[in-house]
Amino acid sequence: MTDKTSSSTKSVGGLEDGPSSVEVSVWRVVFETLRKSPLSLVGLFIVLAVLVMAIFGPWIVPFPDDVGATVNFAERLQPPSWKHWFGTDIVGRDVLSRVVVGARISMIIAFFVMVLAVLIGVPIGIIAAYWGGWLGNVLMRINEVFLAIPSLVFVLAVAALLGPSLPVVIAAISLAWWTWYARLAYGEALHLKEEQFVEAAQVSGAGGLRIAFGEILPNLTSVLIVKITLDIGYVILLGAALGFLGLGVQPPDPEWGIMVAEGRDQLPDAWWLTTFPGLAIFITVIGFNLLGDGLNDILGARQ
């Protein structure tokens, strides 16, 4: 694969080009792009906050016991106060504690869905594009069959068939999501296989697998990072929708969709039961979308 950095001989601060100067230039581009896009910085801070909640949630919440099947009817349906910032639910559990720990479930769903979707979809797309022929036609026709089914309908059908649980939610969304990565990889690989670095690898005697996954795949990194970041928000939203409909993660786990569903019967009096989990979903989705837009600008500037 040709190295574009080989033609860059400029120095930074009078020093010769090397790994340190390349790293400085990369971070300079990142800083300048983020500085010009305050919304991207907001998205980054939101994503970091969600990750902190997902990793450290059980240890930083004020009432860790309320995350499970705890019952405390003496504190039932308490409005937001200094003791319970987000109020309490119908069995007296602290809503703030459950919202914070709920970030872990949402991020677990998003992480495994993205891993499975990329591992399934990207190789299929690259193989279909590079080798083409009957193999490419078969793979992309299968992809089109899955794409023809609306994602929400497909996920609901799979979840209803297999039964509600966290592994089923991950599997159902992954089966619907790999198609988008196959299509993206297919389109990008079709373009990249005509590039000079691929022709050079072919002339040097590199095998098809070496070219497909050693030359073409690394050049998909930027576009994949951007798409993954943007898709995480949609996956979280879909996982919450399954929980809301009773086809996702089941109580007493503090999943945001479940919390919204449990609180809807108490509206409008106990408004906090649905408002705070709903805001958590909204803010998280917005955060990943803003960060994805920023990464698109940054990685696009470096191409």
Side-chain angles (χ1 to χ4, degrees):
M1 183 174 65
T2 57
D3 188 0
K4 296 180 180 180
T5 61
S6 62
S7 62
S8 178
T9 58
K10 294 182 179 180
S11 61
V12 178
L15 299 177
E16 293 183 357
D17 242 356
S20 59
S21 63
V22 172
E23 183 179 352
V24 169
S25 64
V26 169
W27 284 109
R28 182 177 298 170
V29 171
V30 172
F31 174 77
E32 290 297 328
T33 305
L34 289 178
R35 187 174 63 86
K36 296 175 182 178
S37 178
L39 290 179
S40 298
L41 279 177
V42 172
L44 176 61
F45 289 139
I46 292 174
V47 169
L48 291 177
V50 173
L51 291 177
V52 168
M53 290 192 298
I55 297 171
F56 302 106
W59 296 280
I60 62 176
V61 294
F63 298 93
D65 293 338
D66 288 358
V67 172
T70 303
V71 175
N72 184 11
F73 287 111
E75 299 284 343
R76 181 177 182 271
L77 293 179
Q78 295 293 316
S81 63
W82 286 112
K83 181 179 181 181
H84 300 284
W85 289 6
F86 288 3
T88 61
D89 64 10
I90 57 177
V91 294
R93 295 173 298 191
D94 182 64
V95 174
L96 172 61
S97 299
R98 294 177 62 78
V99 167
V100 170
V101 177
R104 169 173 292 191
I105 296 176
S106 295
M107 292 308 301
I108 287 174
I109 294 173
F111 174 79
F112 283 105
V113 167
M114 290 296 100
V115 169
L116 291 173
V118 170
L119 290 180
I120 296 172
V122 172
I124 289 176
I126 293 176
I127 291 171
Y130 185 74
W131 277 277
W134 68 267
L135 177 61
N137 287 330
V138 170
L139 291 176
M140 295 316 294
R141 295 299 83 76
I142 294 173
N143 182 63
E144 289 173 0
V145 170
F146 278 88
L147 282 173
I149 306 173
S151 299
L152 181 58
V153 174
F154 182 84
V155 171
L156 288 174
V158 173
L161 179 65
L162 299 180
S165 68
L166 179 59
V168 168
V169 170
I170 294 172
I173 301 177
S174 300
L175 286 173
W177 227 262
W178 70 267
T179 56
W180 301 104
Y181 287 88
R183 186 175 182 179
L184 175 66
Y186 178 76
E188 292 292 325
L190 276 179
H191 170 71
L192 290 171
K193 77 174 186 176
E194 304 297 334
E195 295 290 334
Q196 291 182 356
F197 68 85
V198 173
E199 296 178 359
Q202 292 171 340
V203 171
S204 66
L209 289 177
R210 171 70 177 85
I211 295 173
F213 296 102
E215 302 290 340
I216 294 178
L217 179 58
N219 283 275
L220 297 178
T221 303
S222 297
V223 68
L224 287 176
I225 290 175
V226 173
K227 180 159 180 60
I228 289 171
T229 307
L230 292 171
D231 281 356
I232 287 176
Y234 295 110
V235 170
I236 290 174
L237 189 60
L238 188 53
L242 288 176
F244 180 83
L245 296 173
L247 295 174
V249 180
Q250 295 297 291
D253 291 333
E255 197 273 328
W256 291 337
I258 296 174
M259 297 176 68
V260 174
E262 291 175 343
R264 60 181 172 175
D265 293 332
Q266 306 298 324
L267 289 173
D269 296 330
W271 53 268
W272 56 89
L273 298 182
T274 55
T275 299
F276 293 115
L279 282 175
I281 298 171
F282 173 77
I283 293 173
T284 302
V285 172
I286 291 296
F288 276 100
N289 284 341
L290 293 176
L291 179 60
D293 289 338
L295 289 176
N296 186 35
D297 295 337
I298 293 169
L299 296 176
R302 291 173 54 191
Q303 290 176 352

